[in-house]
Amino acid sequence: MSDDKSIFSRIDDLVAEEHELRTKHAAGQVNDADEHARLRALEVELDQCWDLLRQRRAKREFGENPDDAAARSSDTVEGYLN
């Protein structure tokens, strides 16, 4: 299982990749379709990371083991918005 620190590290990596992608797109190194597809994938993975952190915090708050939290599917996490 991932701990909070490793999840935050992954979030930092994803945000850095998003910034790099936007910079490359602005410089004409990445086309619109590729940028859009990768940004969407990054958004989904970021949502999954934040969801996992929320699950871990909730388990901790209620005296449960945060290591029992598990990443949920992209369909589940993205379905929250609907």
Side-chain angles (χ1 to χ4, degrees):
M1 281 285 142
S2 298
D3 62 11
D4 291 4
K5 186 176 179 178
S6 66
I7 298 168
F8 277 117
S9 177
R10 182 64 185 147
I11 288 169
D12 288 343
D13 291 346
L14 293 168
V15 170
E17 182 179 346
E18 178 185 3
H19 288 264
E20 181 181 352
L21 181 63
R22 290 183 188 279
T23 299
K24 286 181 177 180
H25 180 258
Q29 297 172 334
V30 176
N31 68 40
D32 290 347
D34 290 343
E35 181 203 32
H36 181 73
R38 185 60 191 143
L39 284 175
R40 179 68 185 131
L42 289 169
E43 177 183 299
V44 169
E45 192 171 348
L46 279 166
D47 288 347
Q48 287 175 305
C49 288
W50 286 115
D51 176 69
L52 181 55
L53 281 173
R54 283 189 294 274
Q55 288 182 63
R56 290 179 56 80
R57 287 179 179 158
K59 287 190 176 295
R60 207 176 282 116
E61 181 180 338
F62 290 99
E64 298 177 27
N65 184 351
D67 291 337
D68 291 341
R72 296 186 240 220
S73 73
S74 60
D75 290 339
T76 299
V77 174
E78 295 306 295
Y80 297 153
L81 300 176
N82 296 330

